[in-house]
Amino acid sequence: MKLRSMLLAASVAALGAQGALAEGKVKVGMITTLSGGGAGLGIDVRDGFMLATKMAGNADLELVVEDDQRKPDIAVQLADKMIQSEKVDVLTGIIWSNLAMAVVPAATAQGKFYLSPNAGPSALAGKGCNKLYFNIAWQNDNLHEAAGAYANDAGYRNSFILAPNYPAGKDALTGYKRMYEGELAGEVYTELGQTDYAAEIAQIRASGADSVFFFLPGGMGISFLKQYANSGVELPVVGPAFSFDQGILQAVGEAALGIKNTSQWSKDIDNEANQTFVEEFQAEYGRLPSLYASQGYDTANLLLSAMEKADVSDQEAFQKALEAAEFDSVRGKFKFGANHHPVQDYYVREVVKEGDVFTNKIVATSLTDHADAYVSECKM
């Protein structure tokens, strides 16, 4: 189902679906997950992006949104349609790394900018980097690297680690192991979309581990945490924000309390841009923003900042305007590395309960001004 921003589409309605936008205008195609498993993630990216455009009041941007249904073939079809029929200038929105790998290389090969609000596979950060591809969230390994660094500080020496068997899952365990200095009691790849973790929890119980690290985004994390809490296994758990994000925590409930997780964003980061974002998001949508919403919001504001400096038809100038990243990020300081991935701080958060709402608070900084491990392989 196609959604159009009512605030933005009116300015270009007369141009027709086949026609290019007038000079100075930018047409954005957002392909994201709006149905089925993981829909909450795509909805939050979309809502964060649309909030930023509404607040900016920039009538030179048109947004077209489509649901990829979390299927690579659907995502490819939508990208082809947006590029060839909709004549978009910029693509964005993909949540899942396997979908990003199916869409991004083809989109950039056709001369389209791609701004990633989430997926950051290692293949696109290193040798597969591209001058038209920018990641505004992180490279996939980063939050897991921060978790590995935290595990060292916490004194963990024998972690059991698990993640789904797809590109982001492999990047996750690679990232944790890159920073973690202890031994591994076990390393398991689960099925993508798996909901029953009885076998994995039994392995954890028998492993002799002193801690558990897992990356299971969306519904996978909800299932694992509930089953783990009911299993009687009492080993400390650490993970990235994806399994402890705002939307997920309400479904997990008490089982998540006290768990440490790593993120480049939190609602309690103390800067004006973040405070405004949290307040405006709650006012607009009636819920606290998630990590994904913050990434959608920053993606839109990066794009809007580039539009103020250059015309998208001048590809080189627009690329430089994006590289400058002259916008007020909800994260505070923000810059791109040479491979167009963020160099930023990563925090340790603890799950707490504020009134009736489960949420996170920052308790430490894990990594400062941290770049990804693949930037040296990027030759743009």
Side-chain angles (χ1 to χ4, degrees), residues 72-286:
D73 58 333
I74 298 295
V76 169
Q77 292 172 20
L78 292 173
D80 288 344
K81 173 187 173 185
M82 286 185 172
I83 293 170
Q84 296 165 17
S85 300
E86 295 279 2
K87 308 296 183 184
V88 300
D89 303 296
V90 176
L91 284 164
T92 189
I94 290 177
I95 300 296
W96 309 93
S97 290
N98 54 333
L99 274 66
M101 289 304 302
V103 168
V104 173
T108 54
Q110 294 178 73
K112 301 301 178 182
F113 286 97
Y114 190 93
L115 308 183
S116 178
N118 196 66
S122 56
L124 298 180
K127 295 178 181 179
C129 68
N130 188 284
K131 65 182 182 179
L132 303 182
Y133 171 72
F134 290 78
N135 187 295
I136 297 84
W138 24 255
Q139 190 277 317
N140 279 353
D141 301 24
N142 290 158
L143 268 64
H144 317 293
E145 291 169 343
Y150 166 73
N152 296 331
D153 293 340
Y156 302 152
R157 294 292 178 262
N158 195 28
S159 288
F160 190 103
I161 62 176
L162 66 158
N165 189 14
Y166 80 122
K170 295 176 181 178
D171 287 346
L173 298 194
T174 297
Y176 185 82
K177 291 185 290 184
R178 183 176 291 122
M179 292 294 183
Y180 173 62
E181 297 171 354
E183 302 295 326
L184 291 180
E187 180 176 355
V188 171
Y189 285 100
T190 68
E191 293 183 14
L192 185 62
Q194 183 172 322
T195 57
D196 184 354
Y197 294 95
E200 287 79 9
I201 292 171
Q203 287 179 269
I204 293 169
R205 188 193 306 274
S207 69
D210 66 359
S211 54
V212 177
F213 167 79
F214 76 95
F215 164 64
L216 295 166
M220 293 179 285
I222 295 171
S223 296
F224 175 80
L225 280 170
K226 287 185 173 181
Q227 291 167 36
Y228 186 82
N230 291 327
S231 70
V233 179
E234 297 183 352
L235 298 175
V237 172
V238 61
F242 316 116
S243 296
F244 304 92
D245 202 37
Q246 200 58 51
I248 291 175
L249 285 177
Q250 311 321 304
V252 176
E254 300 284 340
L257 280 176
I259 293 179
K260 304 296 194 302
N261 62 93
T262 49
S263 180
Q264 87 283 16
W265 175 83
S266 186
K267 69 177 179 60
D268 55 338
I269 292 178
D270 188 13
N271 65 63
E272 184 177 352
N274 194 45
Q275 291 169 356
T276 298
F277 163 63
V278 173
E279 291 171 4
E280 293 293 334
F281 192 93
Q282 284 184 281
E284 183 75 13
Y285 301 113

Side-chain angles (χ1 to χ4, degrees), residues 113 314-321:
F113 286 97
D314 185 340
Q315 190 177 92
E316 183 176 355
F318 204 77
Q319 176 190 332
K320 290 181 178 178

